[in-house]
Amino acid sequence: MSSRALLLLGATLLVVGCAKVQVDQVKGLAGSGMAYTETLKKVNEYALDKSIQFSADILPTLPRDLATLEAHSNGIRDRTQLVAEASAYLDGLAAYFSELEDLANGDPSEAMMNSLGAVADGLKKEPIGLKISDDRTKAYRGFASYVAKQVHANAVERALIRDAGVVARALAICEDMLDNQIEWVTLRAKAERTIAYREKVQKPYLAGELLGTEWKDSWSAGVRKPPEIKFLEDARKASKTMQGAWVNLLRGSHSFAALNAELKTINEGLDVLKTLKNAK
Amino acid sequence: MNESDFNAFRQSVEDIFLALYTIDPGSLTRDERMIHQQQLSVAHLAVIRMENKAFGDLLAEAKGQLGPLAASTKAMQSQLAGLNQASQALTIVAQALNVLTRIAELCA
């Protein structure tokens, strides 16, 4: 396990059971967790697409023999398989958050209140004919609802305490996977930018050519942070926020607004990158 | 090789690849270009394989966690079923009382 995973696991286990968890907070985290895994799957696919596109561009410049073609093709085939397995893993994590959401949503207090009310009404009728006042029936229903709510909240809290370590490890692994994929994209983006800058900016400039709009656009792109790097930095930030949200939930504090806003930004960034890619 | 050594080695491979990739083939002779092509192929393949190895190792660790994660999910499903059963049990009791009432009415 990476040192990052150990630190997060330690932090998680320290705060487990320290505070009463609110069921509504769990619903919020479960929803954010599902959105997070969905976003990571998209980043997963993007990183693979980038690897494939880069290999397709470089292959024509390499020795034109069967061994070279097959070796590079197999490398990318292996990567495609790995990314598919990563996607399946993320689906497993999404399924966990979905079940957590169902548990949090499964508050039986209203059903319990209605059922107990129906039992009380049934007991009042013949042949049993118990004398239970309306006020007392109302009190029974209210009490049943309260007890059911506490039972439910305890069930949710028990689930979180039981799962704290497992989910912390899973989230830490997700961040490590993301870091790897960020390296795939960053290396290839850096290589492409270096060539683009040399060919489209340096050479025309040093050759004294007439420098029009295309040159200015190339120069601007060369000095600015590339969109894919910003997008990946946002994804990394969201990953850290998600892990923090899990620890905070166990601590009894919560805020999912920041995480949800970050996930929205990443998805918008993906759309921009797709548009840029299709426009080329 | 530990994680730190592997990362250092990987960084070296990436630096070599970048250095080769950014060489301008136009500045090379024909023979130099052929050597460059071969070196670039080897370096690119090394990068892909190292990246795949690192990611594959991580996935192997992740798969080891799938068991506990699946167990957690299944346990949660049981908890949920338990909660529903309690209110369902009361609903059944209420229905039984309704049946009892109707029987009493019939027999009156």
Side-chain angles (χ1 to χ4, degrees):
Chain A
M1 194 189 298
S2 70
S3 49
R4 185 209 335 265
L6 278 169
L7 277 170
L8 181 63
L9 178 58
T12 306
L13 294 175
L14 271 174
V15 302
V16 156
C18 285
K20 196 76 185 159
V21 169
Q22 300 298 319
V23 170
D24 282 343
Q25 294 167 17
V26 175
K27 286 183 202 173
L29 181 80
S32 296
M34 287 189 285
Y36 169 71
T37 51
E38 203 47 47
T39 302
L40 280 196
K41 279 177 72 172
K42 290 181 188 173
V43 176
N44 208 16
E45 285 302 318
Y46 174 75
L48 176 65
D49 282 347
K50 190 71 186 171
S51 300
I52 292 173
Q53 170 254 303
F54 188 85
S55 291
D57 286 341
I58 202 177
L59 268 169
T61 69
L62 302 180
R64 300 288 187 93
D65 57 67
L66 191 60
T68 302
L69 178 64
E70 284 310 302
H72 284 80
S73 301
N74 286 337
I76 294 299
R77 284 188 193 111
D78 288 346
R79 178 159 304 186
T80 305
Q81 177 59 32
L82 288 171
V83 166
E85 288 172 22
S87 206
Y89 175 76
L90 290 169
D91 284 339
L93 190 55
Y96 170 83
F97 284 123
S98 176
E99 288 297 329
L100 184 64
E101 190 180 58
D102 283 348
L103 183 69
N105 277 330
D107 179 359
S109 56
E110 192 175 334
M112 196 69 84
M113 184 174 71
N114 293 338
S115 298
L116 194 64
V119 167
D121 289 340
L123 287 170
K124 282 193 261 187
K125 290 179 188 167
E126 295 301 327
I128 300 169
L130 269 182
K131 301 282 183 241
I132 310 173
S133 68
D134 287 345
D135 281 347
R136 192 157 281 194
T137 303
K138 202 171 158 187
Y140 287 152
R141 289 167 63 140
F143 183 65
S145 171
Y146 172 77
V147 168
K149 209 177 261 298
Q150 295 311 305
V151 166
H152 176 243
N154 284 341
V156 170
E157 189 174 89
R158 270 201 318 274
L160 288 178
I161 290 170
R162 180 195 59 214
D163 302 337
V166 171
V167 175
R169 269 193 294 273
L171 291 175
I173 287 174
C174 285
E175 186 176 341
D176 284 344
M177 280 167 41
L178 182 61
D179 277 348
N180 268 264
Q181 291 172 336
I182 286 173
E183 283 206 47
W184 299 355
V185 175
T186 305
L187 175 69
R188 285 154 180 83
K190 189 175 174 184
E192 285 172 342
R193 278 165 60 80
T194 306
I195 300 293
Y197 190 78
R198 183 183 68 208
E199 297 298 315
K200 294 181 183 175
V201 176
Q202 272 181 344
K203 281 186 176 175
Y205 187 86
L206 295 174
E209 290 176 22
L210 188 64
L211 303 174
T213 314
E214 201 183 310
W215 184 89
K216 287 176 192 169
D217 289 344
S218 298
W219 179 83
S220 302
V223 298
R224 202 173 274 137
K225 186 184 280 188
E228 58 259 70
I229 302 300
K230 177 163 183 332
F231 153 73
L232 291 169
E233 283 173 356
D234 288 343
R236 182 184 269 141
K237 197 172 156 209
S239 187
K240 288 192 186 309
T241 305
M242 179 68 208
Q243 292 174 82
W246 180 251
V247 173
N248 283 340
L249 177 74
L250 296 165
R251 242 188 225 137
S253 63
H254 69 290
S255 171
F256 307 113
L259 174 61
N260 290 336
E262 282 167 10
L263 292 173
K264 187 166 175 272
T265 304
I266 293 163
N267 281 293
E268 284 166 2
L270 261 169
D271 290 339
V272 165
L273 287 171
K274 277 182 191 159
T275 307
L276 282 172
K277 186 184 161 195
N278 291 338
K280 278 184 186 168
Chain B
M1 192 184 276
N2 60 31
E3 192 181 329
S4 172
D5 289 343
F6 180 81
N7 288 338
F9 182 53
R10 182 173 163 173
Q11 187 60 57
S12 300
V13 170
E14 287 177 0
D15 289 344
I16 291 168
F17 167 70
L18 268 178
L20 283 168
Y21 185 80
T22 53
I23 286 174
D24 187 351
S27 65
L28 304 173
T29 65
R30 190 172 175 276
D31 288 343
E32 283 170 343
R33 227 173 298 159
M34 288 184 67
I35 294 169
H36 174 249
Q37 272 187 358
Q38 190 58 40
Q39 288 173 340
L40 185 59
S41 176
V42 168
H44 185 236
L45 205 50
V47 162
I48 292 176
R49 285 175 177 169
M50 290 203 82
E51 288 172 342
N52 285 354
K53 164 99 178 66
F55 199 70
D57 287 348
L58 203 49
L59 263 179
E61 187 189 342
K63 282 177 190 172
Q65 301 300 319
L66 264 181
L69 199 58
S72 287
T73 311
K74 202 169 170 199
M76 223 180 299
Q77 285 170 336
S78 301
Q79 270 184 282
L80 197 56
L83 285 177
N84 289 337
Q85 275 162 18
S87 68
Q88 276 165 7
L90 278 178
T91 305
I92 290 168
V93 168
Q95 285 167 353
L97 285 172
N98 281 340
V99 169
L100 194 60
T101 304
R102 288 177 66 190
I103 291 171
E105 283 166 359
L106 279 171
C107 297

